[in-house]
mmCIF file of all heavy atoms in Angstrom:
data_model
loop_
_atom_site.group_PDB
_atom_site.id
_atom_site.type_symbol
_atom_site.label_atom_id
_atom_site.label_comp_id
_atom_site.label_asym_id
_atom_site.label_seq_id
_atom_site.Cartn_x
_atom_site.Cartn_y
_atom_site.Cartn_z
ATOM 1 N N ILE A 1 -70.149 99.712 71.147
ATOM 2 C CA ILE A 1 -68.731 99.722 70.914
ATOM 3 C C ILE A 1 -67.980 99.627 72.197
ATOM 4 O O ILE A 1 -67.001 98.835 72.233
ATOM 5 C CB ILE A 1 -68.430 101.050 70.165
ATOM 6 C CG1 ILE A 1 -69.079 100.962 68.736
ATOM 7 C CG2 ILE A 1 -66.854 101.192 70.062
ATOM 8 C CD1 ILE A 1 -68.860 102.246 67.925
ATOM 9 N N ALA A 2 -68.344 100.278 73.231
ATOM 10 C CA ALA A 2 -67.713 100.127 74.569
ATOM 11 C C ALA A 2 -67.711 98.745 75.068
ATOM 12 O O ALA A 2 -66.755 98.130 75.577
ATOM 13 C CB ALA A 2 -68.329 101.090 75.547
ATOM 14 N N GLU A 3 -68.912 98.084 74.909
ATOM 15 C CA GLU A 3 -69.022 96.599 75.395
ATOM 16 C C GLU A 3 -68.248 95.730 74.522
ATOM 17 O O GLU A 3 -67.572 94.757 75.048
ATOM 18 C CB GLU A 3 -70.537 96.256 75.389
ATOM 19 C CG GLU A 3 -71.307 96.922 76.499
ATOM 20 C CD GLU A 3 -70.849 96.609 77.906
ATOM 21 O OE1 GLU A 3 -70.363 95.429 78.163
ATOM 22 O OE2 GLU A 3 -70.880 97.444 78.772
ATOM 23 N N THR A 4 -68.265 95.916 73.213
ATOM 24 C CA THR A 4 -67.414 95.154 72.278
ATOM 25 C C THR A 4 -65.938 95.268 72.696
ATOM 26 O O THR A 4 -65.217 94.293 72.754
ATOM 27 C CB THR A 4 -67.603 95.600 70.823
ATOM 28 O OG1 THR A 4 -69.034 95.479 70.534
ATOM 29 C CG2 THR A 4 -66.799 94.696 69.889
ATOM 30 N N HIS A 5 -65.420 96.523 72.953
ATOM 31 C CA HIS A 5 -64.134 96.742 73.301
ATOM 32 C C HIS A 5 -63.738 96.056 74.614
ATOM 33 O O HIS A 5 -62.730 95.421 74.764
ATOM 34 C CB HIS A 5 -63.835 98.210 73.412
ATOM 35 C CG HIS A 5 -62.397 98.571 73.802
ATOM 36 N ND1 HIS A 5 -61.354 98.340 72.946
ATOM 37 C CD2 HIS A 5 -61.795 99.027 74.915
ATOM 38 C CE1 HIS A 5 -60.216 98.687 73.561
ATOM 39 N NE2 HIS A 5 -60.542 99.108 74.680
ATOM 40 N N ARG A 6 -64.624 96.120 75.566
ATOM 41 C CA ARG A 6 -64.382 95.586 76.893
ATOM 42 C C ARG A 6 -64.320 94.057 76.811
ATOM 43 O O ARG A 6 -63.341 93.391 77.340
ATOM 44 C CB ARG A 6 -65.537 95.908 77.784
ATOM 45 C CG ARG A 6 -65.318 95.352 79.293
ATOM 46 C CD ARG A 6 -66.592 95.543 80.098
ATOM 47 N NE ARG A 6 -67.683 94.830 79.673
ATOM 48 C CZ ARG A 6 -67.911 93.441 79.732
ATOM 49 N NH1 ARG A 6 -66.913 92.711 80.152
ATOM 50 N NH2 ARG A 6 -68.994 92.857 79.270
ATOM 51 N N LYS A 7 -65.186 93.419 75.980
ATOM 52 C CA LYS A 7 -65.116 91.933 75.922
ATOM 53 C C LYS A 7 -64.127 91.472 74.893
ATOM 54 O O LYS A 7 -63.533 90.374 75.205
ATOM 55 C CB LYS A 7 -66.590 91.523 75.540
ATOM 56 C CG LYS A 7 -66.757 89.913 75.678
ATOM 57 C CD LYS A 7 -68.166 89.584 75.518
ATOM 58 C CE LYS A 7 -68.278 88.071 75.739
ATOM 59 N NZ LYS A 7 -69.664 87.647 75.627
ATOM 60 N N TYR A 8 -63.980 92.031 73.731
ATOM 61 C CA TYR A 8 -63.161 91.537 72.661
ATOM 62 C C TYR A 8 -61.999 92.341 72.217
ATOM 63 O O TYR A 8 -61.247 91.922 71.351
ATOM 64 C CB TYR A 8 -64.071 91.219 71.475
ATOM 65 C CG TYR A 8 -65.058 90.143 71.808
ATOM 66 C CD1 TYR A 8 -66.372 90.447 71.725
ATOM 67 C CD2 TYR A 8 -64.631 88.855 72.111
ATOM 68 C CE1 TYR A 8 -67.393 89.366 71.955
ATOM 69 C CE2 TYR A 8 -65.521 87.884 72.366
ATOM 70 C CZ TYR A 8 -66.935 88.162 72.341
ATOM 71 O OH TYR A 8 -67.812 87.084 72.546
ATOM 72 N N GLY A 9 -61.792 93.493 72.873
ATOM 73 C CA GLY A 9 -60.682 94.398 72.461
ATOM 74 C C GLY A 9 -59.300 93.706 72.451
ATOM 75 O O GLY A 9 -58.577 93.797 71.523
ATOM 76 N N PRO A 10 -59.017 93.223 73.622
ATOM 77 C CA PRO A 10 -57.595 92.484 73.762
ATOM 78 C C PRO A 10 -57.517 91.395 72.701
ATOM 79 O O PRO A 10 -56.378 91.246 72.073
ATOM 80 C CB PRO A 10 -57.539 92.011 75.092
ATOM 81 C CG PRO A 10 -58.511 92.873 75.909
ATOM 82 C CD PRO A 10 -59.664 93.138 74.931
ATOM 83 N N TRP A 11 -58.488 90.721 72.455
ATOM 84 C CA TRP A 11 -58.419 89.531 71.515
ATOM 85 C C TRP A 11 -58.210 90.059 70.058
ATOM 86 O O TRP A 11 -57.366 89.514 69.407
ATOM 87 C CB TRP A 11 -59.721 88.701 71.713
ATOM 88 C CG TRP A 11 -59.707 87.403 70.754
ATOM 89 C CD1 TRP A 11 -58.963 86.322 70.987
ATOM 90 C CD2 TRP A 11 -60.406 87.205 69.634
ATOM 91 N NE1 TRP A 11 -59.183 85.403 69.969
ATOM 92 C CE2 TRP A 11 -60.128 85.988 69.122
ATOM 93 C CE3 TRP A 11 -61.341 87.938 68.907
ATOM 94 C CZ2 TRP A 11 -60.715 85.379 68.045
ATOM 95 C CZ3 TRP A 11 -61.924 87.417 67.767
ATOM 96 C CH2 TRP A 11 -61.643 86.106 67.343
ATOM 97 N N CYS A 12 -59.007 91.065 69.701
ATOM 98 C CA CYS A 12 -58.886 91.697 68.428
ATOM 99 C C CYS A 12 -57.582 92.278 68.180
ATOM 100 O O CYS A 12 -56.824 92.180 67.199
ATOM 101 C CB CYS A 12 -60.004 92.699 68.133
ATOM 102 S SG CYS A 12 -61.696 91.930 67.874
ATOM 103 N N LYS A 13 -57.049 92.977 69.289
ATOM 104 C CA LYS A 13 -55.765 93.599 69.202
ATOM 105 C C LYS A 13 -54.646 92.605 69.005
ATOM 106 O O LYS A 13 -53.687 92.854 68.290
ATOM 107 C CB LYS A 13 -55.533 94.475 70.416
ATOM 108 C CG LYS A 13 -54.285 95.315 70.317
ATOM 109 C CD LYS A 13 -54.150 96.299 71.525
ATOM 110 C CE LYS A 13 -52.817 97.023 71.410
ATOM 111 N NZ LYS A 13 -52.643 97.877 72.532
ATOM 112 N N GLY A 14 -54.769 91.523 69.699
ATOM 113 C CA GLY A 14 -53.749 90.397 69.588
ATOM 114 C C GLY A 14 -53.700 89.874 68.118
ATOM 115 O O GLY A 14 -52.648 89.637 67.569
ATOM 116 N N ILE A 15 -54.859 89.716 67.485
ATOM 117 C CA ILE A 15 -54.823 89.306 66.093
ATOM 118 C C ILE A 15 -54.149 90.349 65.247
ATOM 119 O O ILE A 15 -53.253 89.967 64.436
ATOM 120 C CB ILE A 15 -56.329 89.077 65.570
ATOM 121 C CG1 ILE A 15 -56.909 87.839 66.327
ATOM 122 C CG2 ILE A 15 -56.271 88.827 64.110
ATOM 123 C CD1 ILE A 15 -58.378 87.788 66.053
ATOM 124 N N ALA A 16 -54.595 91.575 65.379
ATOM 125 C CA ALA A 16 -53.961 92.625 64.541
ATOM 126 C C ALA A 16 -52.478 92.756 64.754
ATOM 127 O O ALA A 16 -51.658 93.007 63.896
ATOM 128 C CB ALA A 16 -54.659 93.917 64.736
ATOM 129 N N PHE A 17 -52.106 92.666 66.087
ATOM 130 C CA PHE A 17 -50.650 92.914 66.357
ATOM 131 C C PHE A 17 -49.814 91.779 65.857
ATOM 132 O O PHE A 17 -48.618 92.039 65.350
ATOM 133 C CB PHE A 17 -50.408 92.933 67.904
ATOM 134 C CG PHE A 17 -48.931 93.169 68.240
ATOM 135 C CD1 PHE A 17 -48.417 94.361 68.155
ATOM 136 C CD2 PHE A 17 -48.190 92.221 68.704
ATOM 137 C CE1 PHE A 17 -47.054 94.685 68.474
ATOM 138 C CE2 PHE A 17 -46.830 92.397 68.997
ATOM 139 C CZ PHE A 17 -46.301 93.625 68.964
ATOM 140 N N ARG A 18 -50.232 90.480 65.917
ATOM 141 C CA ARG A 18 -49.480 89.425 65.324
ATOM 142 C C ARG A 18 -49.246 89.606 63.827
ATOM 143 O O ARG A 18 -48.285 89.050 63.239
ATOM 144 C CB ARG A 18 -50.145 88.154 65.657
ATOM 145 C CG ARG A 18 -49.848 87.664 67.052
ATOM 146 C CD ARG A 18 -50.287 86.172 67.237
ATOM 147 N NE ARG A 18 -51.706 86.008 67.123
ATOM 148 C CZ ARG A 18 -52.682 86.226 67.991
ATOM 149 N NH1 ARG A 18 -52.263 86.689 69.215
ATOM 150 N NH2 ARG A 18 -53.938 85.934 67.749
ATOM 151 N N ILE A 19 -50.122 90.192 63.071
ATOM 152 C CA ILE A 19 -49.951 90.434 61.783
ATOM 153 C C ILE A 19 -49.178 91.720 61.402
ATOM 154 O O ILE A 19 -48.243 91.659 60.640
ATOM 155 C CB ILE A 19 -51.414 90.596 61.032
ATOM 156 C CG1 ILE A 19 -52.141 89.322 61.120
ATOM 157 C CG2 ILE A 19 -51.312 91.031 59.550
ATOM 158 C CD1 ILE A 19 -53.586 89.298 60.745
ATOM 159 N N LEU A 20 -49.542 92.907 62.139
ATOM 160 C CA LEU A 20 -48.855 94.091 61.884
ATOM 161 C C LEU A 20 -47.625 94.421 62.601
ATOM 162 O O LEU A 20 -46.706 95.193 62.160
ATOM 163 C CB LEU A 20 -49.932 95.249 62.098
ATOM 164 C CG LEU A 20 -51.136 95.232 61.218
ATOM 165 C CD1 LEU A 20 -52.164 96.149 61.791
ATOM 166 C CD2 LEU A 20 -50.778 95.464 59.827
ATOM 167 N N GLU A 21 -47.429 93.801 63.828
ATOM 168 C CA GLU A 21 -46.245 93.839 64.661
ATOM 169 C C GLU A 21 -46.005 95.367 65.062
ATOM 170 O O GLU A 21 -44.878 95.603 65.375
ATOM 171 C CB GLU A 21 -45.051 93.215 63.985
ATOM 172 C CG GLU A 21 -45.236 91.804 63.729
ATOM 173 C CD GLU A 21 -44.085 91.135 63.030
ATOM 174 O OE1 GLU A 21 -43.357 91.836 62.258
ATOM 175 O OE2 GLU A 21 -43.980 89.908 63.142
ATOM 176 N N LEU A 22 -47.042 96.213 64.992
ATOM 177 C CA LEU A 22 -46.828 97.569 65.578
ATOM 178 C C LEU A 22 -48.112 97.942 66.392
ATOM 179 O O LEU A 22 -49.216 97.809 65.942
ATOM 180 C CB LEU A 22 -46.835 98.555 64.359
ATOM 181 C CG LEU A 22 -45.576 98.470 63.510
ATOM 182 C CD1 LEU A 22 -45.790 99.250 62.244
ATOM 183 C CD2 LEU A 22 -44.313 98.925 64.214
ATOM 184 N N GLN A 23 -47.849 98.295 67.654
ATOM 185 C CA GLN A 23 -48.987 98.532 68.549
ATOM 186 C C GLN A 23 -49.950 99.588 67.994
ATOM 187 O O GLN A 23 -51.154 99.372 68.075
ATOM 188 C CB GLN A 23 -48.426 99.131 69.897
ATOM 189 C CG GLN A 23 -47.839 98.040 70.739
ATOM 190 C CD GLN A 23 -48.725 97.029 71.314
ATOM 191 O OE1 GLN A 23 -49.899 96.916 70.974
ATOM 192 N NE2 GLN A 23 -48.350 96.230 72.190
ATOM 193 N N GLU A 24 -49.464 100.679 67.526
ATOM 194 C CA GLU A 24 -50.343 101.835 67.004
ATOM 195 C C GLU A 24 -51.208 101.315 65.824
ATOM 196 O O GLU A 24 -52.383 101.684 65.779
ATOM 197 C CB GLU A 24 -49.443 102.992 66.570
ATOM 198 C CG GLU A 24 -48.654 103.604 67.658
ATOM 199 C CD GLU A 24 -47.247 102.857 67.883
ATOM 200 O OE1 GLU A 24 -46.797 102.167 66.917
ATOM 201 O OE2 GLU A 24 -46.760 103.029 68.936
ATOM 202 N N GLU A 25 -50.588 100.594 64.942
ATOM 203 C CA GLU A 25 -51.296 100.062 63.784
ATOM 204 C C GLU A 25 -52.312 99.010 64.293
ATOM 205 O O GLU A 25 -53.450 98.987 63.716
ATOM 206 C CB GLU A 25 -50.384 99.432 62.752
ATOM 207 C CG GLU A 25 -49.513 100.447 62.143
ATOM 208 C CD GLU A 25 -50.315 101.516 61.278
ATOM 209 O OE1 GLU A 25 -51.313 101.113 60.717
ATOM 210 O OE2 GLU A 25 -49.847 102.704 61.260
ATOM 211 N N ALA A 26 -52.064 98.222 65.215
ATOM 212 C CA ALA A 26 -52.978 97.227 65.821
ATOM 213 C C ALA A 26 -54.190 97.872 66.356
ATOM 214 O O ALA A 26 -55.340 97.534 66.177
ATOM 215 C CB ALA A 26 -52.259 96.253 66.779
ATOM 216 N N GLU A 27 -53.898 98.960 67.101
ATOM 217 C CA GLU A 27 -54.987 99.712 67.790
ATOM 218 C C GLU A 27 -55.859 100.434 66.638
ATOM 219 O O GLU A 27 -57.074 100.415 66.887
ATOM 220 C CB GLU A 27 -54.406 100.795 68.753
ATOM 221 C CG GLU A 27 -53.770 100.178 69.995
ATOM 222 C CD GLU A 27 -52.966 101.160 70.802
ATOM 223 O OE1 GLU A 27 -52.921 102.357 70.514
ATOM 224 O OE2 GLU A 27 -52.376 100.706 71.769
ATOM 225 N N GLU A 28 -55.244 100.890 65.666
ATOM 226 C CA GLU A 28 -56.024 101.553 64.605
ATOM 227 C C GLU A 28 -56.930 100.599 63.857
ATOM 228 O O GLU A 28 -58.073 100.869 63.606
ATOM 229 C CB GLU A 28 -55.004 102.209 63.650
ATOM 230 C CG GLU A 28 -55.633 102.976 62.598
ATOM 231 C CD GLU A 28 -55.905 104.422 62.974
ATOM 232 O OE1 GLU A 28 -55.285 104.946 63.976
ATOM 233 O OE2 GLU A 28 -56.814 105.126 62.346
ATOM 234 N N CYS A 29 -56.410 99.347 63.712
ATOM 235 C CA CYS A 29 -57.024 98.264 63.052
ATOM 236 C C CYS A 29 -58.333 97.852 63.894
ATOM 237 O O CYS A 29 -59.340 97.664 63.395
ATOM 238 C CB CYS A 29 -56.131 97.099 62.834
ATOM 239 S SG CYS A 29 -56.779 95.778 61.799
ATOM 240 N N VAL A 30 -58.141 97.738 65.169
ATOM 241 C CA VAL A 30 -59.188 97.466 66.144
ATOM 242 C C VAL A 30 -60.302 98.530 66.037
ATOM 243 O O VAL A 30 -61.448 98.146 66.006
ATOM 244 C CB VAL A 30 -58.663 97.166 67.569
ATOM 245 C CG1 VAL A 30 -59.909 96.953 68.496
ATOM 246 C CG2 VAL A 30 -57.795 95.881 67.597
ATOM 247 N N SER A 31 -59.892 99.729 66.014
ATOM 248 C CA SER A 31 -60.885 100.843 65.894
ATOM 249 C C SER A 31 -61.595 100.686 64.552
ATOM 250 O O SER A 31 -62.923 100.938 64.579
ATOM 251 C CB SER A 31 -60.152 102.179 65.940
ATOM 252 O OG SER A 31 -59.661 102.395 67.183
ATOM 253 N N ASP A 32 -60.964 100.305 63.467
ATOM 254 C CA ASP A 32 -61.723 100.176 62.217
ATOM 255 C C ASP A 32 -62.593 98.981 62.291
ATOM 256 O O ASP A 32 -63.649 98.942 61.689
ATOM 257 C CB ASP A 32 -60.607 99.956 61.154
ATOM 258 C CG ASP A 32 -59.852 101.249 60.822
ATOM 259 O OD1 ASP A 32 -60.258 102.298 61.270
ATOM 260 O OD2 ASP A 32 -58.823 101.134 60.051
ATOM 261 N N THR A 33 -62.209 98.024 63.141
ATOM 262 C CA THR A 33 -63.065 96.827 63.356
ATOM 263 C C THR A 33 -64.389 97.299 63.893
ATOM 264 O O THR A 33 -65.498 96.809 63.500
ATOM 265 C CB THR A 33 -62.403 95.721 64.214
ATOM 266 O OG1 THR A 33 -61.264 95.251 63.551
ATOM 267 C CG2 THR A 33 -63.339 94.590 64.454
ATOM 268 N N TYR A 34 -64.299 98.083 64.919
ATOM 269 C CA TYR A 34 -65.538 98.624 65.642
ATOM 270 C C TYR A 34 -66.372 99.409 64.619
ATOM 271 O O TYR A 34 -67.657 99.273 64.625
ATOM 272 C CB TYR A 34 -65.194 99.445 66.790
ATOM 273 C CG TYR A 34 -64.376 98.631 67.880
ATOM 274 C CD1 TYR A 34 -63.591 99.379 68.745
ATOM 275 C CD2 TYR A 34 -64.458 97.263 68.066
ATOM 276 C CE1 TYR A 34 -62.782 98.766 69.697
ATOM 277 C CE2 TYR A 34 -63.656 96.610 69.000
ATOM 278 C CZ TYR A 34 -62.873 97.307 69.777
ATOM 279 O OH TYR A 34 -62.139 96.800 70.722
ATOM 280 N N LEU A 35 -65.784 100.218 63.819
ATOM 281 C CA LEU A 35 -66.533 100.997 62.777
ATOM 282 C C LEU A 35 -67.221 100.048 61.846
ATOM 283 O O LEU A 35 -68.384 100.223 61.460
ATOM 284 C CB LEU A 35 -65.516 101.929 62.018
ATOM 285 C CG LEU A 35 -66.174 102.801 60.993
ATOM 286 C CD1 LEU A 35 -67.260 103.680 61.619
ATOM 287 C CD2 LEU A 35 -65.073 103.555 60.254
#
Protein backbone atom coordinates (compact mmCIF):
# COMPACT_ATOMS: atom_id res chain seq x y z
CA ILE A 1 0.00 0.00 0.00
CA ALA A 2 2.83 2.40 0.83
CA GLU A 3 4.53 1.68 -2.51
CA THR A 4 1.24 2.02 -4.37
CA HIS A 5 0.64 5.37 -2.68
CA ARG A 6 4.18 6.56 -3.43
CA LYS A 7 3.96 5.67 -7.11
CA TYR A 8 0.28 6.24 -7.94
CA GLY A 9 -1.23 8.25 -5.08
CA PRO A 10 -1.11 11.66 -6.81
CA TRP A 11 -2.43 10.20 -10.07
CA CYS A 12 -5.36 8.44 -8.35
CA LYS A 13 -6.11 11.52 -6.26
CA GLY A 14 -6.21 13.63 -9.42
CA ILE A 15 -8.80 11.32 -10.96
CA ALA A 16 -10.93 11.38 -7.81
CA PHE A 17 -10.60 15.15 -7.35
CA ARG A 18 -11.67 15.94 -10.92
CA ILE A 19 -14.86 13.97 -10.29
CA LEU A 20 -15.61 14.89 -6.67
CA GLU A 21 -14.07 18.38 -6.54
CA LEU A 22 -13.40 18.04 -2.80
CA GLN A 23 -9.91 17.24 -1.43
CA GLU A 24 -11.15 15.28 1.57
CA GLU A 25 -13.48 13.15 -0.54
CA ALA A 26 -10.75 12.54 -3.12
CA GLU A 27 -8.35 11.40 -0.38
CA GLU A 28 -11.01 9.09 1.07
CA CYS A 29 -11.64 7.68 -2.39
CA VAL A 30 -7.94 6.95 -2.88
CA SER A 31 -7.83 5.18 0.50
CA ASP A 32 -10.78 3.07 -0.63
CA THR A 33 -8.87 2.30 -3.83
CA TYR A 34 -5.99 0.90 -1.79
CA LEU A 35 -8.42 -1.18 0.26
